[in-house]
């Protein structure tokens, strides 16, 4: 029997390796990995299986296939089979992969292509969804057809927010299983040195920020870490970001008397954490900030989360929960290089309240928890007043309302 896995990012493949090593897929059978390169122009970007780091993961799989090559010249983030084509293409795909008996399909998402396309082609088998990041704590963005939701048997995740259960797919009764951090694979990084690491994002590609705003955000991080006294700074572009990301930063670093270093393409952030042991890791809301702190014990800080919380649109954008977690739990890097600790927070209460406001129809059971949180703490920066008014939720904490009443 064959288990078919899908991954589009190296971190996702590392998560799969951890799950396999932890015994999450039972006795060894044939394992086939389908990889996708979702870069804007995949022809000029390394696929995860082409990176040197993938060599440490390769032996978990019997065969590796490129989805880009299978559907070429179409882009994996845009193509999906038409309903009338699904039976034929499904048979062709199984034949191409040499699959005669399919035990399980393991995908990183059932919401967006390319992973969203695979369950329709691999019919009549159980589906495991694995989450390689903080997105596991976001509510499911779209309503799933019964043909898919009824086949999802579990959600595998790394437990990056201890004590907080993931919300993804929970409305379908899908149980969450934690992969122990001890199984997370160790990958060597090429020899490199840096006092601080800046993790780039790809917010302009997602339409959240303009390209200029994203450049300014990264420039602000660079200025702040240099103001903090770091003169050797590693900039790690996001795997899906455009190649030109970071060009302006190199010139800025030189003007400020520092040196900006770029790791070899395809080097995972986690390999850098292990090899470099930096004094600070900075980003906006990257999952790698959490892995730096939780799995490697490194200082991590955020910058720009307040802007993102304002810009994310619509409110139910799945990035809202990861941004909220980063903003609420990590120190904030100030322009002068200082670190400001975030106020204490009831993190489970905050996540549940934001999640309810994002998807109230999917999680009606969270309404009481959301109301209680807002009455105790108020909306602060994580909620939109119009959204609260629409849902008939408190826009002021009880203490504030009492003081307003007394002042009349």
């Amino acid at each position: 029997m064959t288990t078919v896995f899908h991954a589009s990012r190296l971190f996702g493949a590392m998560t799969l390796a951890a799950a396999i090593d932890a015994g999450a897929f039972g006795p060894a059978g044939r394992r086939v990995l389908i990889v996708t390169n979702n870069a804007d122009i995949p022809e000029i970007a390394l696929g995860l299986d082409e990176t040197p780091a993938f060599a440490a993961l390769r032996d978990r799989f019997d065969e590796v296939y490129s989805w880009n090559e299978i559907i070429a010249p179409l882009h994996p983030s845009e193509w999906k089979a038409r309903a009338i084509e699904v039976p034929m293409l499904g048979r062709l795909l199984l034949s191409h992969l040499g699959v005669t008996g399919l035990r399980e399909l393991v995908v990183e998402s059932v919401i967006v292509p390319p992973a969203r396309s695979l369950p329709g082609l691999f019919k009549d088998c159980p589906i495991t969804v694995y989450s390689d990041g903080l997105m596991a704590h976001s509510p499911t963005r779209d309503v799933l057809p019964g043909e898919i939701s009824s086949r999802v048997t579990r959600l595998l995740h790394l437990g990056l927010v201890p004590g907080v259960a993931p919300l993804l797919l929970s409305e379908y009764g899908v149980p969450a299983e934690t992969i122990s951090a001890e199984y997370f694979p160790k990958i060597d990084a090429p020899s490199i040195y840096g006092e601080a690491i800046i993790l780039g994002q790809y917010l302009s590609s997602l339409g959240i920020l303009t390209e200029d705003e994203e450049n300014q955000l990264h420039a602000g991080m660079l200025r702040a870490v240099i103001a903090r006294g770091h003169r050797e700074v590693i900039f790690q572009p996001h795997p899906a970001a455009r190649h030109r990301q970071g060009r302006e930063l190199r010139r800025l670093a030189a003007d400020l008397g520092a040196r900006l270093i770029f790791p070899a393409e395809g080097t995972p952030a986690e390999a850098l954490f292990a090899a470099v042991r930096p004094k600070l890791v900075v980003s906006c809301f990257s999952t790698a900030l959490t892995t730096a702190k939780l799995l490697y014990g490194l200082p991590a800080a955020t910058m720009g989360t307040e802007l993102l919380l304002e810009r994310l649109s619509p409110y139910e954008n799945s990035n809202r929960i990861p941004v909220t977690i980063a903003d609420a739990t990590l120190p904030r890097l100030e322009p002068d290089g200082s670190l400001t600790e975030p106020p204490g927070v009831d993190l489970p209460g905050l996540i549940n309240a934001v999640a309810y406001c994002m998807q109230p129809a999917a999680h009606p059971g969270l309404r009481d928890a959301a109301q209680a949180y807002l009455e105790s703490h108020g909306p602060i920066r994580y909620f939109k007043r119009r959204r609260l008014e629409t849902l008939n939720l408190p826009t002021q904490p009880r203490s504030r309302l009492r003081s307003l009443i007394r002042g009349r």
Side-chain angles (χ1 to χ4, degrees):
M1 295 290 283
T2 301
T3 301
V4 175
F5 301 83
H6 167 258
S8 65
R9 295 199 299 140
L10 192 57
F11 188 76
M14 294 169 72
T15 304
L16 285 178
I20 290 170
D21 293 350
F25 300 102
R30 181 169 175 255
R31 299 190 188 114
V32 171
L33 175 65
I34 297 176
V35 299
T36 53
N37 184 340
N38 300 336
D40 290 345
I41 309 176
E43 291 79 7
I44 63 172
L46 282 181
L48 73 89
D49 57 321
E50 299 172 312
T51 63
F54 183 73
L57 312 174
R58 178 65 179 79
D59 63 357
R60 272 77 165 191
F61 308 99
D62 297 292
E63 293 150 74
V64 178
Y65 291 87
S66 167
W67 186 244
N68 295 63
E69 292 180 4
I70 291 173
I71 66 169
L74 304 173
H75 194 286
S77 295
E78 299 171 354
W79 178 83
K80 64 178 181 178
R82 295 181 298 175
I84 196 172
E85 299 171 333
V86 166
M88 175 193 68
L89 291 177
R91 289 195 302 272
L92 286 174
L93 182 56
L94 290 173
S95 176
H96 180 75
L97 301 178
V99 175
T100 55
L102 185 57
R103 171 191 288 173
E104 187 176 13
L105 175 65
V106 185
V107 294
E108 62 187 9
S109 170
V110 285
I111 303 300
V112 295
R116 175 65 178 84
S117 307
L118 296 176
L121 298 174
F122 291 99
K123 295 283 189 180
D124 305 321
C125 70
I127 300 171
T128 287
V129 176
Y130 71 92
S131 174
D132 62 358
L134 297 177
M135 204 76 78
H137 293 277
S138 295
T140 314
R141 191 181 76 184
D142 299 322
V143 176
L144 296 177
E147 190 276 328
I148 291 179
S149 63
S150 63
R151 292 162 56 197
V152 180
T153 59
R154 57 183 174 166
L155 170 71
L156 297 177
H157 68 105
L158 287 169
L160 296 178
V161 187
V164 182
L167 282 170
L168 184 67
L169 300 173
S170 61
E171 68 269 39
Y172 298 102
V174 175
E177 297 180 13
T178 304
I179 306 165
S180 175
E182 69 179 287
Y183 293 101
F184 195 73
K186 303 299 186 289
I187 293 180
D188 294 331
S191 179
I192 190 172
Y193 172 75
E195 298 166 356
I197 296 177
I198 297 174
L199 302 171
Q201 271 289 356
Y202 64 121
L203 305 171
S204 59
S205 296
L206 296 175
I208 298 172
L209 299 180
T210 66
E211 201 167 304
D212 182 62
E213 287 172 330
E214 185 167 55
N215 290 337
Q216 290 302 313
L217 177 59
H218 291 149
M221 294 177 187
L222 179 60
R223 289 190 180 94
V225 297
I226 293 174
R228 196 169 173 79
H230 304 310
R231 291 293 179 268
E232 302 278 340
V233 182
I234 296 173
F235 181 74
Q236 168 82 315
H238 190 280
R242 297 180 174 93
H243 265 54
R244 62 178 173 270
Q245 190 180 73
R247 290 177 187 168
E248 296 85 354
L249 288 183
R250 195 188 295 275
R251 291 193 290 268
L252 175 61
D255 292 342
L256 295 174
R259 187 165 74 99
L260 194 66
I261 304 114
F262 291 82
E265 185 175 0
T267 303
E270 287 69 25
L272 293 176
F273 299 158
V276 177
R277 303 298 303 175
K279 297 176 181 176
L280 185 66
V281 181
V282 183
S283 187
C284 191
F285 70 103
S286 171
T287 290
L289 282 177
T290 305
T291 62
K293 178 182 177 181
L294 187 67
L295 302 184
Y296 296 88
L298 298 173
T302 64
M303 180 177 268
T305 49
E306 187 168 13
L307 173 63
L308 259 65
L309 288 168
E310 188 64 33
R311 289 291 187 84
L312 284 173
S313 180
Y315 188 83
E316 54 268 26
N317 188 307
S318 296
N319 287 304
R320 185 170 296 281
I321 292 291
V323 176
T324 296
I325 292 172
D327 183 81
T329 61
L330 294 172
R332 296 157 191 170
L333 179 63
E334 305 296 344
D336 64 359
S338 62
L339 294 177
T340 302
E341 292 292 332
V345 65
D346 168 16
L347 188 60
L350 173 60
I351 291 175
N352 286 335
V354 173
Y356 174 75
C357 293
M358 290 171 65
Q359 298 287 359
H363 293 280
L366 293 179
R367 179 176 176 84
D368 289 347
Q371 178 147 350
Y373 181 89
L374 289 162
E375 287 177 347
S376 297
H377 304 282
I380 320 175
R381 59 214 265 163
Y382 305 111
F383 304 88
K384 301 287 188 182
R385 185 181 185 90
R386 182 176 298 177
R387 174 65 59 124
L388 295 177
E389 291 174 345
T390 299
L391 296 173
N392 195 27
L393 287 170
T395 58
Q396 298 283 352
R398 282 178 180 166
S399 57
R400 172 66 176 158
L401 289 174
R402 284 196 293 266
S403 65
L404 288 173
I405 292 172
R406 285 196 298 269
R408 286 180 179 175

